Each structure stands twice: as structure tokens, then as C-alpha cells.
Amino acid sequence: MKNRLNTFLILAFLFSMISCVKKEQKEDDVLKSKKELTAADILGNPKYLAISYGGYREKSREDGQPSIAQLKEDLKIMHTMGIRILRTYNVQPKLPHAANLLEAIHQLKQEDSNFEMYVMLGAWIDCLNAWTDKAPNHDIESPANEGEIKRAVALANKYPDIVKVIAVGNEAMVKWATSYYVQPNVILKWVNHLQNLKKEGKLSKDLWITSSDDFSSWGGGDEVYRVPDLVELIKAVDYVSMHTYPYHYTHYMSAFWAIPENEQNLSDIEKVDKAMLRAKNKAKQLYQKVVDYVHSIDSTKTIHIGETGWASSSDGFYGKDGSRATDEYKQGLYFKHLREWTNEAGISCFYFEAFDEQWKDAGNPNGSENHFGLFTLKGEAKYPIWDLVDNGTFKGLTRDGNPIKKTFNGDKEALLKTVLVPNTNYPK
């Protein structure tokens, strides 16, 4: 009896040891898989939702850099939403937002092995005399670009487990960016430089390089953009990051926004619902135009959406006496449509944006640029994500001490009173 008991105890001990070893191996495998994930693994994967992020709360970026603690607060909110890839825009010396964000992610990963977040790191590119009282020279680049690229490289090497993409420039080639745009040869120069660093072992070979620009800049619009340097750029990037904004096109390309004859007898809310389906289809159409052009050059190149979004407030072209595109209900429909389409199609969509920022149009609080966030500055969840509040996703989380509550106090009837039927009949 005693021998059998000893045998049982030995077997139980061995079983326990084997279970512990397997558990440790499983945990190691999970950690290893997280560390080894690359841009190729996460881009286009609906399990890794993407969003554009700026944590600025104040009217000035220079004087209102969010603290590490504030960045962590935002990161926890986004993480619980299923966001796993963030897009940033610059690494300029006076604006350490991106560097602080990477450090905040690093600290959260140290604190919690289950915390997972990756970054598409933007390097801002300008032309000579951009943002000065001198005339911009769009044929010559700013000497500051070199330092911007060096800082992006340094951060990518410091945080290789977090930075999975470097984007050279933001809307830096589109000609309506009159304050700063450059010719495609400038973007090509820096993309090639980064690709060469990868070949030389000075950057991770798995780091993807792109440029994030308007659909027209990638050959999806006016043929003026279809120049030899763009062809070479398409070949040089690891993937194409394009922007599509039906919201802005409700004013500038408004044919799709007009209510067709066969919908005139619908109720107002039905007209809005139909309009937002047309907005989704407009986004898909512009995306496809880029796909068609890019694939005429390189059929293997993938195309993801670096930006798209819908503002919830505007006193300009998109408000009451303009296109009337702006309210939280329409924003909610656009967000839902775009997530459903891109997730199903295997397209990463860096939805613009997570939180409202008031520096973008600091002199005009009601300007649409200040209101693209899914959250208000105070951390109120707008209509697109009311359901997340309802199901307790944000329980225990705060922004600047404010618990996450719904806008309009969750009163949908009050929200619907702000919704206006699309308008195209106004002076432009």
C-alpha cells in the first residue's frame, strides 16, 4: 500500500512538473510570437485594428505635449477597443509625441505581458521654405528632412518590437498641400535610403517602408501625378498607404452626395442612411482607382488605407449651409461601413482618428479638423462606439480623470435632432 502511494505521489509530481513546463513553453511561445510579428503579419489582419493617433489635448502642440501617464491612459482605452496598430505623423525635435508614445508602449509591455501595440511611425517631409513667410519651393526639399529621417531610424532601432512601419511623409506629394508639398523624387530618395539601410543591416529587414498620401498622389486621380518618379516609388515601397475622404468630397466632389430622384420620397433618416452607403462606395471607388494604377506597375504590391474618417462637427463647408455631412450619426455609419468593408477585404484601415485634437484649427473651435475623433477631448465616446460603452468595454478606464461616457448622455433621440439631410445646392 505504501509503495503504491509513493508511486502515485511520484507520478503526480512528474505530471505537475510536465504541466508546468508545458505552460512555461506555451507562455514563451506566445511571447516569442508577439516579438516576431512583422508588418507582413499585422497589416491586413482584422485581428489587428489600426487607427491614427494624436494625444494632444491643448490648442498648441509645442506647449501641450501629453505626458507619458496621459499617453498610457489613451493606450489602455484604445487597446481595450481591439486597436493594435497606431499611426503617428512626425518625429520633430520640438514635438516628442511619437518618441514618448513609443516609450509609453514599452512601459506598458513591461508592466503587462499581454499588452500588445505596434506603430506605423511617420517622418514628416517638407519642401524648402515650408511654413515660413517665404514662398515654398516645391522642387527643392527642406534641409530638415534629413534629421527627420535619422530620428525615425533611431526610434525604429530603439523599439524594433513596436515600430513595424516607417512612413516617409504625410500627404507630402498632393498638390493641394500648398504649404509644403514636394515632388515624388524627394519621397523616392528617402524611401530608397531606408531600403538601403535594411540591406546593410542598419534597420530590421522586416521593417516595411511606405509613404502615406492622398489617392490622387498614388495615381488614382489626375494624370498629372503619373510621372516616372511615381512609378519608381511604387516599385520601391513595401506597400502603398493611400488616403480616401468622402467626407471632404461631399463639398469638393459632391456628385455622389446628391440625393437621387428615386430617393426623394424617403424619410429624412432613410435619405441619410442611403447617402452614407454612397459615401462608403465612394471610398471603395477611390481605393480601387489606386489599386488599378498601382497594379498596372506592380501587380504584387499591397494597398492599405493610411487615412479615412468623418468629422462630427463643422461650421464650414460641411455644416448647415454647406454639404451638411457633419454629425455623429453619419460618423457612426461611416465608421461601421469602413470597418466592415476593410476587415472583410483584408485591408488595414488607419481610421482617422482616435481622439479629437483642438490644435488643428486652434482659432476655430468648431472647425471640422478638430472633430474627427471617436472620442471628445474629455474622453466622451461618440455615437460610433456607444455600443462599447454599453457592453462595459471601458469600465474602470478614464481620460484625464474622466470616466468614459456617451455623448448626448446616450440619448439617441437628441442626437438624431442634429442630423440633416445631405445638401449640394449651395454656392461653392
Side-chain angles (χ1 to χ4, degrees):
M1 182 72 178
K2 185 177 179 182
N3 288 337
R4 272 189 275 175
L5 179 61
N6 288 338
T7 301
F8 174 78
L9 290 172
I10 291 169
L11 289 173
F13 175 75
L14 289 173
F15 179 78
S16 175
M17 289 295 293
I18 291 169
S19 297
C20 288
V21 169
K22 286 184 176 179
K23 183 179 179 182
E24 289 176 2
Q25 286 176 339
K26 186 176 180 182
E27 290 175 350
D28 288 343
D29 288 343
V30 170
L31 289 172
K32 185 178 179 182
S33 66
K34 286 183 180 180
K35 291 176 183 177
E36 291 179 351
L37 283 178
T38 66
D41 299 316
I42 60 180
L43 289 179
N45 186 338
K47 294 180 180 179
Y48 292 84
L49 294 179
I51 205 162
S52 295
Y53 170 67
Y56 297 105
R57 275 82 159 160
E58 308 302 329
K59 290 185 176 181
S60 166
R61 287 186 296 172
E62 290 77 7
D63 300 329
Q65 286 292 316
S67 66
I68 295 287
Q70 287 177 314
L71 293 170
K72 283 184 174 181
E73 202 174 33
D74 288 353
L75 284 164
K76 290 177 182 178
I77 291 170
M78 291 185 286
H79 191 269
T80 198
M81 295 169 64
I83 300 297
R84 294 295 182 270
I85 322 173
L86 306 180
R87 182 183 169 203
T88 63
Y89 289 80
N90 63 75
V91 287
Q92 292 159 319
K94 295 181 179 179
L95 303 173
H97 181 280
N100 289 341
L101 177 65
L102 291 169
E103 178 57 27
I105 294 172
H106 172 73
Q107 291 184 18
L108 285 173
K109 290 180 67 176
Q110 295 295 307
E111 296 163 13
D112 180 0
S113 62
N114 292 316
F115 187 85
E116 186 180 16
M117 194 69 76
Y118 305 101
V119 169
M120 172 182 175
L121 186 67
W124 192 266
I125 298 295
D126 280 329
C127 70
L128 186 66
N129 300 330
W131 315 106
T132 69
D133 55 1
K134 298 178 181 178
N137 187 334
H138 299 294
D139 295 320
I140 301 176
E141 69 169 316
S142 167
N145 293 345
E146 182 177 4
E148 186 78 350
I149 296 296
K150 285 182 178 179
R151 288 185 292 274
V153 169
L155 287 171
N157 283 328
K158 184 176 181 180
Y159 301 98
D161 57 321
I162 301 171
V163 178
K164 298 301 176 181
V165 179
I166 291 179
V168 179
N170 172 64
E171 295 177 343
M173 297 183 289
V174 66
K175 298 185 187 302
W176 47 252
T178 54
S179 298
Y180 66 95
Y181 83 80
V182 297
Q183 304 301 339
N185 68 296
V186 172
I187 304 299
L188 176 61
K189 166 191 169 182
W190 291 117
V191 167
N192 282 337
H193 170 72
L194 294 173
Q195 297 289 25
N196 286 332
L197 290 182
K198 287 164 60 176
K199 292 175 184 176
E200 296 166 5
K202 296 177 181 177
L203 273 174
S204 168
K205 62 180 176 56
D206 294 320
L207 181 72
W208 275 15
I209 310 300
T210 190
S211 181
S212 205
D213 219 309
D214 187 70
F215 80 98
S216 57
S217 300
W218 286 112
D222 196 315
E223 291 198 6
V224 70
Y225 291 96
R226 298 182 178 185
V227 298
D229 283 330
L230 179 62
V231 172
E232 294 306 310
L233 178 60
I234 288 169
K235 294 176 182 177
V237 294
D238 290 300
Y239 78 99
V240 167
S241 176
M242 59 83 67
H243 301 182
T244 173
Y245 273 103
Y247 175 79
H248 291 138
Y249 310 148
T250 63
H251 174 75
Y252 291 103
M253 301 166 64
S254 62
F256 81 96
W257 192 238
I259 299 172
E261 189 64 34
N262 65 349
E263 295 179 9
Q264 292 295 333
N265 292 328
L266 297 177
S267 68
D268 284 356
I269 203 66
E270 287 173 328
K271 289 175 181 176
V272 170
D273 290 346
K274 294 282 189 180
M276 295 314 296
L277 285 172
R278 294 196 299 275
K280 175 194 73 172
N281 289 333
K282 186 66 175 178
K284 293 176 71 174
Q285 175 196 37
L286 298 178
Y287 173 84
Q288 190 60 46
K289 285 186 175 183
V290 173
V291 170
D292 291 344
Y293 180 70
V294 169
H295 283 179
S296 73
I297 295 162
D298 182 350
S299 61
T300 68
K301 201 71 66 174
T302 54
I303 298 94
H304 296 290
I305 296 176
E307 264 191 40
T308 193
W310 202 275
S312 60
S313 181
S314 172
D315 59 1
F317 294 142
Y318 316 101
K320 184 177 180 181
D321 296 321
S323 69
R324 297 174 188 163
T326 313
D327 55 68
E328 285 188 33
Y329 181 75
K330 296 188 186 82
Q331 183 190 43
L333 289 178
Y334 188 72
F335 178 73
K336 174 178 177 289
H337 292 329
L338 266 289
R339 280 290 190 228
E340 288 178 349
W341 161 47
T342 55
N343 286 347
E344 183 179 348
I347 302 166
S348 275
C349 177
F350 287 82
Y351 193 85
F352 189 84
E353 63 179 329
F355 298 88
D356 282 349
E357 301 177 79
Q358 59 178 335
W359 66 268
K360 293 176 179 289
D361 194 355
N364 180 22
N366 291 321
S368 62
E369 290 299 306
N370 296 334
H371 298 280
F372 273 86
L374 297 176
F375 295 89
T376 67
L377 284 168
K378 294 179 180 179
E380 295 171 303
K382 296 183 189 177
Y383 179 68
I385 52 173
W386 278 10
D387 61 320
L388 298 182
V389 180
D390 290 336
N391 66 25
T393 296
F394 305 116
K395 186 177 180 180
L397 299 177
T398 62
R399 191 179 209 230
D400 298 333
N402 300 309
I404 309 301
K405 298 179 180 180
K406 293 188 281 190
T407 53
F408 293 88
N409 292 316
D411 186 343
K412 189 173 180 180
E413 290 302 315
L415 179 150
L416 290 176
K417 289 178 181 178
T418 69
V419 180
L420 299 176
V421 172
N423 176 42
T424 56
N425 187 24
Y426 62 96
K428 297 179 183 177

